Amino acid sequence: MAVKKIKTIYDVLCPFCGTLCDDLEVDIADNKVVEVRNACQIGTKKFYSSNPNEHRYETPMIKKNGKLERASWEEAIDKAADILANAKRPLLYGFSSTECEAQSKGVELAEILGGVLDNTASVCHGPSLLAKQDVGQPGATLGEFKNRADLVIFWGSNPVHAHPRHLSRYSEFVRGYFRKDGRNDRYIVVVDPRNTHTAQIADLYIQVNPSEDYELLNAIRAVLRGVELDEKEVSGVSMEKIKELVNTMKTCSYGVIFFGMGLTQSLSHHRNIDAAICLTRELNDHTKFSIIPMRGHYNVAGANQVFTWNTGYAYSIDFSRGYARYNPGEFSSVEVLLKDQVDASLIVASDPASNFPAASVKNLFKHPLIVIDPHESPTTVYADIVLPAAIAGIEAEGTAYRMDNVPLRLRKVKDAPGECLTDKIILEKLIEKVKEKRGE
Ligand code: SF4
């Protein structure tokens, strides 16, 4: 029996969550992933998902008589360009699980089409971006936190499940330059309505009432300023515990708040983040403190960067007047779909059918739908055209931004199967064909 030749690729980035771990080792044999070292379970699974499987699209698909059937690239691009060129106001959505070079092409196409352009921040950390625009953000890199932070607060985030290696690489167990004893040199606080697995390994767990973070944040700010509140508790948290937390914050050497969707998507949304950022700023009168969002998709931070440097805005952008306008809540994907204000959609590297409200998904499916994706998903099942993509960070290289906005280079470890093309090339083909159809 012939022995398989195994090739090992080192320093590979994991294209799954915003931690963007960059120390993976991947073994490849016969263009298949046979071993992944250093990644967590969800990261490992993503690499194995690139191996041949029944859910992978390997050729373009076009819906005929209610069924997706194989088609040529020429036919699929022609049909997709036809839909987009004839739409009055198409929606271009997704972009957070692909490289920056493809995101940039998405912006170009949206501008040519006069469409609505949005990324997944609109349903996750959009409120964080709004708050940052209002009051700024005292931030730093994950490396700074690893080396310096002795107080780590997870507010409305549960990294044990959502960012599994965050704790061992940057925030809890890791040894840093000034935190040589790792976990013993750090005090961990979790603020969350649920007693999560992260809360269970914290030194202090503060159980806030659901959707009452805003009140708690402002009570902490008041106590920090020396105000005596005439209350026994705020948001379900006793005054003793609030004072204990304030004292812990004031006396640390370097504190950091990692906040997640528990804060952005609870009542008060961006006002929660406003208050958390203002608290961080005020803490800097006493010690050094930073705040940073726990970004979910591995390159949602990149989508915000790329959209901003191209248009001036990070998400929820409308080109229908020929120039970029920004108004989250009006031009966000969920809202334009709920109000049925778009007449075709192009979804790139995303699955809105799995996480948008049912009424907006119904309108998404009502109009022509084109999806660029490597795998079958609830969105692709209802698509009129599926354009099969190489998986960025596994089958295509490119740039991605970590949750702290540090750009890193994604590696290609294997070839894409069948006729798959990179997201960037597919979008370039669409741009060329749309221009041709419009006689530009
Ligand atoms: S923590 Fe995130 S980036 Fe790191 S290996 Fe796990 S899924 Fe990948």
Short mmCIF file of all heavy atoms in Angstrom, two decimals, residues 13-24 36 38-44 46-47 159 161-170 296 298, ligand 1:
data_model
loop_
_atom_site.label_atom_id
_atom_site.label_comp_id
_atom_site.label_asym_id
_atom_site.label_seq_id
_atom_site.Cartn_x
_atom_site.Cartn_y
_atom_site.Cartn_z
N LEU A 13 -3.53 30.59 10.35
CA LEU A 13 -4.57 31.32 11.09
C LEU A 13 -5.87 30.52 11.07
O LEU A 13 -6.16 29.83 10.08
CB LEU A 13 -4.83 32.68 10.44
CG LEU A 13 -4.01 33.83 11.01
CD1 LEU A 13 -2.57 33.73 10.55
CD2 LEU A 13 -4.62 35.15 10.61
N CYS A 14 -6.63 30.63 12.13
CA CYS A 14 -7.92 29.93 12.15
C CYS A 14 -9.03 30.87 11.70
O CYS A 14 -9.31 31.87 12.37
CB CYS A 14 -8.23 29.44 13.57
SG CYS A 14 -9.93 28.83 13.71
N PRO A 15 -9.68 30.57 10.57
CA PRO A 15 -10.73 31.46 10.08
C PRO A 15 -12.09 31.12 10.67
O PRO A 15 -13.02 30.77 9.94
CB PRO A 15 -10.69 31.22 8.56
CG PRO A 15 -10.30 29.79 8.44
CD PRO A 15 -9.45 29.45 9.64
N PHE A 16 -12.19 31.20 11.99
CA PHE A 16 -13.52 30.97 12.57
C PHE A 16 -13.96 32.16 13.44
O PHE A 16 -14.85 32.90 13.07
CB PHE A 16 -13.59 29.66 13.36
CG PHE A 16 -15.02 29.32 13.72
CD1 PHE A 16 -15.82 28.60 12.86
CD2 PHE A 16 -15.58 29.80 14.90
CE1 PHE A 16 -17.16 28.36 13.16
CE2 PHE A 16 -16.91 29.56 15.21
CZ PHE A 16 -17.71 28.84 14.34
N CYS A 17 -13.34 32.36 14.60
CA CYS A 17 -13.82 33.46 15.45
C CYS A 17 -12.83 34.62 15.48
O CYS A 17 -11.73 34.53 14.96
CB CYS A 17 -14.13 32.94 16.86
SG CYS A 17 -12.72 32.88 17.97
N GLY A 18 -13.27 35.72 16.10
CA GLY A 18 -12.49 36.96 16.09
C GLY A 18 -11.17 36.89 16.84
O GLY A 18 -10.37 37.82 16.77
N THR A 19 -10.91 35.79 17.55
CA THR A 19 -9.61 35.62 18.22
C THR A 19 -8.50 35.42 17.19
O THR A 19 -7.35 35.78 17.41
CB THR A 19 -9.65 34.40 19.18
OG1 THR A 19 -10.82 34.50 19.98
CG2 THR A 19 -8.46 34.35 20.10
N LEU A 20 -8.89 34.88 16.03
CA LEU A 20 -8.00 34.70 14.87
C LEU A 20 -6.65 34.10 15.28
O LEU A 20 -5.59 34.65 14.99
CB LEU A 20 -7.79 36.05 14.16
CG LEU A 20 -7.59 36.06 12.64
CD1 LEU A 20 -8.73 35.35 11.92
CD2 LEU A 20 -7.49 37.47 12.12
N CYS A 21 -6.69 32.97 16.00
CA CYS A 21 -5.47 32.30 16.47
C CYS A 21 -4.52 32.09 15.28
O CYS A 21 -4.97 31.69 14.20
CB CYS A 21 -5.81 30.94 17.09
SG CYS A 21 -6.84 31.11 18.55
N ASP A 22 -3.23 32.34 15.50
CA ASP A 22 -2.30 32.30 14.37
C ASP A 22 -1.17 31.30 14.59
O ASP A 22 -0.08 31.44 14.05
CB ASP A 22 -1.71 33.70 14.13
CG ASP A 22 -1.08 34.27 15.38
OD1 ASP A 22 -1.00 33.56 16.40
OD2 ASP A 22 -0.66 35.44 15.35
N ASP A 23 -1.44 30.26 15.40
CA ASP A 23 -0.38 29.30 15.73
C ASP A 23 -0.76 27.86 15.37
O ASP A 23 -0.24 26.91 15.95
CB ASP A 23 -0.07 29.38 17.23
CG ASP A 23 -1.30 29.05 18.09
OD1 ASP A 23 -2.43 29.06 17.53
OD2 ASP A 23 -1.14 28.77 19.29
N LEU A 24 -1.68 27.72 14.41
CA LEU A 24 -2.16 26.36 14.08
C LEU A 24 -1.13 25.63 13.20
O LEU A 24 -0.38 26.26 12.45
CB LEU A 24 -3.49 26.43 13.33
CG LEU A 24 -4.76 26.50 14.17
CD1 LEU A 24 -4.72 27.61 15.20
CD2 LEU A 24 -5.99 26.63 13.29
N VAL A 36 -5.21 18.64 12.59
CA VAL A 36 -5.11 20.07 12.94
C VAL A 36 -4.63 20.14 14.39
O VAL A 36 -5.24 19.55 15.28
CB VAL A 36 -6.48 20.78 12.81
CG1 VAL A 36 -6.36 22.25 13.17
CG2 VAL A 36 -7.05 20.62 11.40
N ASN A 38 -3.36 22.55 17.74
CA ASN A 38 -3.47 23.82 18.47
C ASN A 38 -4.84 24.49 18.39
O ASN A 38 -5.13 25.36 19.20
CB ASN A 38 -2.40 24.85 18.03
CG ASN A 38 -0.99 24.38 18.33
OD1 ASN A 38 -0.82 23.47 19.14
ND2 ASN A 38 -0.01 24.96 17.68
N ALA A 39 -5.67 24.15 17.41
CA ALA A 39 -6.98 24.82 17.31
C ALA A 39 -7.94 24.25 18.36
O ALA A 39 -7.76 23.14 18.86
CB ALA A 39 -7.58 24.61 15.92
N CYS A 40 -8.97 25.04 18.70
CA CYS A 40 -10.04 24.51 19.56
C CYS A 40 -10.95 23.62 18.70
O CYS A 40 -10.75 23.50 17.49
CB CYS A 40 -10.82 25.65 20.21
SG CYS A 40 -11.81 26.57 19.03
N GLN A 41 -11.96 23.07 19.34
CA GLN A 41 -12.82 22.12 18.63
C GLN A 41 -13.55 22.75 17.44
O GLN A 41 -13.64 22.15 16.37
CB GLN A 41 -13.84 21.59 19.62
CG GLN A 41 -14.07 20.12 19.46
CD GLN A 41 -15.02 19.57 20.50
OE1 GLN A 41 -15.35 20.25 21.47
NE2 GLN A 41 -15.46 18.38 20.31
N ILE A 42 -14.06 23.99 17.64
CA ILE A 42 -14.82 24.60 16.54
C ILE A 42 -13.90 25.00 15.39
O ILE A 42 -14.27 24.87 14.23
CB ILE A 42 -15.73 25.78 16.99
CG1 ILE A 42 -15.02 26.71 17.97
CG2 ILE A 42 -17.04 25.30 17.51
CD1 ILE A 42 -15.87 27.89 18.44
N GLY A 43 -12.68 25.45 15.74
CA GLY A 43 -11.73 25.81 14.69
C GLY A 43 -11.31 24.56 13.91
O GLY A 43 -11.26 24.57 12.68
N THR A 44 -11.05 23.48 14.64
CA THR A 44 -10.64 22.22 14.00
C THR A 44 -11.73 21.75 13.03
O THR A 44 -11.46 21.35 11.90
CB THR A 44 -10.41 21.14 15.08
OG1 THR A 44 -9.43 21.62 15.98
CG2 THR A 44 -9.97 19.83 14.47
N LYS A 46 -13.88 23.43 11.41
CA LYS A 46 -13.96 24.22 10.18
C LYS A 46 -12.94 23.71 9.16
O LYS A 46 -13.23 23.63 7.97
CB LYS A 46 -13.74 25.70 10.48
CG LYS A 46 -13.72 26.53 9.20
CD LYS A 46 -14.27 27.90 9.31
CE LYS A 46 -14.28 28.55 7.94
NZ LYS A 46 -14.70 29.93 7.95
N PHE A 47 -11.72 23.37 9.63
CA PHE A 47 -10.72 22.86 8.68
C PHE A 47 -11.18 21.54 8.07
O PHE A 47 -11.06 21.33 6.86
CB PHE A 47 -9.36 22.71 9.38
CG PHE A 47 -8.61 24.01 9.45
CD1 PHE A 47 -8.79 24.88 10.51
CD2 PHE A 47 -7.75 24.38 8.43
CE1 PHE A 47 -8.13 26.09 10.56
CE2 PHE A 47 -7.08 25.59 8.47
CZ PHE A 47 -7.27 26.45 9.54
N PRO A 159 -16.62 33.54 26.59
CA PRO A 159 -15.56 33.02 25.72
C PRO A 159 -15.33 31.51 25.82
O PRO A 159 -14.84 30.91 24.87
CB PRO A 159 -14.32 33.81 26.16
CG PRO A 159 -14.64 34.37 27.49
CD PRO A 159 -16.12 34.57 27.52
N HIS A 161 -17.27 29.27 25.44
CA HIS A 161 -17.96 28.65 24.30
C HIS A 161 -17.77 29.41 22.99
O HIS A 161 -17.68 28.79 21.93
CB HIS A 161 -19.47 28.54 24.60
CG HIS A 161 -19.74 27.51 25.64
ND1 HIS A 161 -19.57 26.16 25.40
CD2 HIS A 161 -20.15 27.61 26.91
CE1 HIS A 161 -19.85 25.48 26.50
NE2 HIS A 161 -20.20 26.33 27.44
N ALA A 162 -17.75 30.75 23.04
CA ALA A 162 -17.74 31.51 21.78
C ALA A 162 -16.34 31.78 21.25
O ALA A 162 -16.16 31.93 20.04
CB ALA A 162 -18.49 32.82 21.97
N HIS A 163 -15.35 31.90 22.14
CA HIS A 163 -13.96 32.19 21.73
C HIS A 163 -13.04 31.30 22.58
O HIS A 163 -12.28 31.80 23.42
CB HIS A 163 -13.61 33.66 21.97
CG HIS A 163 -14.52 34.64 21.30
ND1 HIS A 163 -15.74 35.01 21.81
CD2 HIS A 163 -14.38 35.34 20.14
CE1 HIS A 163 -16.30 35.89 21.01
NE2 HIS A 163 -15.51 36.10 20.00
N PRO A 164 -13.10 29.99 22.40
CA PRO A 164 -12.48 29.07 23.37
C PRO A 164 -11.01 29.32 23.70
O PRO A 164 -10.60 29.15 24.84
CB PRO A 164 -12.67 27.70 22.73
CG PRO A 164 -13.84 27.86 21.82
CD PRO A 164 -13.79 29.27 21.32
N ARG A 165 -10.18 29.75 22.75
CA ARG A 165 -8.75 29.91 23.06
C ARG A 165 -8.40 31.33 23.52
O ARG A 165 -7.23 31.62 23.82
CB ARG A 165 -7.90 29.50 21.86
CG ARG A 165 -8.02 28.01 21.54
CD ARG A 165 -7.05 27.60 20.46
NE ARG A 165 -5.68 27.53 20.91
CZ ARG A 165 -4.64 27.92 20.18
NH1 ARG A 165 -4.82 28.41 18.97
NH2 ARG A 165 -3.41 27.84 20.65
N HIS A 166 -9.38 32.22 23.55
CA HIS A 166 -9.15 33.58 24.02
C HIS A 166 -8.55 33.54 25.43
O HIS A 166 -7.61 34.27 25.75
CB HIS A 166 -10.49 34.32 24.02
CG HIS A 166 -10.39 35.80 24.18
ND1 HIS A 166 -10.20 36.41 25.39
CD2 HIS A 166 -10.45 36.80 23.27
CE1 HIS A 166 -10.15 37.72 25.23
NE2 HIS A 166 -10.29 37.99 23.95
N LEU A 167 -9.09 32.66 26.27
CA LEU A 167 -8.66 32.57 27.67
C LEU A 167 -7.22 32.09 27.79
O LEU A 167 -6.47 32.57 28.62
CB LEU A 167 -9.59 31.63 28.43
CG LEU A 167 -11.08 32.00 28.40
CD1 LEU A 167 -11.94 30.82 28.79
CD2 LEU A 167 -11.34 33.18 29.31
N SER A 168 -6.85 31.11 26.97
CA SER A 168 -5.50 30.55 27.10
C SER A 168 -4.46 31.35 26.32
O SER A 168 -3.27 31.25 26.59
CB SER A 168 -5.48 29.09 26.65
OG SER A 168 -5.95 28.99 25.33
N ARG A 169 -4.89 32.16 25.36
CA ARG A 169 -3.92 32.93 24.57
C ARG A 169 -3.75 34.37 25.06
O ARG A 169 -2.69 34.95 24.94
CB ARG A 169 -4.35 32.96 23.10
CG ARG A 169 -3.93 31.74 22.33
CD ARG A 169 -4.46 31.77 20.92
NE ARG A 169 -3.88 32.83 20.11
CZ ARG A 169 -2.70 32.75 19.51
NH1 ARG A 169 -1.97 31.66 19.63
NH2 ARG A 169 -2.24 33.76 18.77
N TYR A 170 -4.85 34.96 25.59
CA TYR A 170 -4.77 36.41 25.85
C TYR A 170 -5.30 36.88 27.21
O TYR A 170 -4.88 37.93 27.67
CB TYR A 170 -5.56 37.18 24.76
CG TYR A 170 -5.04 36.94 23.39
CD1 TYR A 170 -5.78 36.25 22.44
CD2 TYR A 170 -3.76 37.38 23.05
CE1 TYR A 170 -5.29 36.03 21.17
CE2 TYR A 170 -3.25 37.15 21.78
CZ TYR A 170 -4.02 36.47 20.85
OH TYR A 170 -3.51 36.25 19.61
N GLY A 296 -17.32 38.30 16.83
CA GLY A 296 -17.68 36.90 16.58
C GLY A 296 -17.02 36.33 15.34
O GLY A 296 -16.05 35.56 15.42
N TYR A 298 -14.67 35.77 12.19
CA TYR A 298 -13.23 36.02 12.24
C TYR A 298 -12.81 37.29 11.53
O TYR A 298 -11.78 37.88 11.84
CB TYR A 298 -12.45 34.81 11.69
CG TYR A 298 -12.45 34.66 10.18
CD1 TYR A 298 -11.49 35.27 9.40
CD2 TYR A 298 -13.43 33.89 9.54
CE1 TYR A 298 -11.49 35.13 8.02
CE2 TYR A 298 -13.43 33.74 8.18
CZ TYR A 298 -12.47 34.36 7.41
OH TYR A 298 -12.48 34.22 6.06
S1 SF4 B 1 -10.50 30.38 19.53
FE1 SF4 B 1 -11.47 31.02 17.62
S2 SF4 B 1 -9.76 31.49 16.23
FE2 SF4 B 1 -8.92 30.29 17.96
S3 SF4 B 1 -8.94 28.16 17.23
FE3 SF4 B 1 -10.88 28.51 18.34
S4 SF4 B 1 -12.37 29.15 16.76
FE4 SF4 B 1 -10.31 29.35 15.90
#
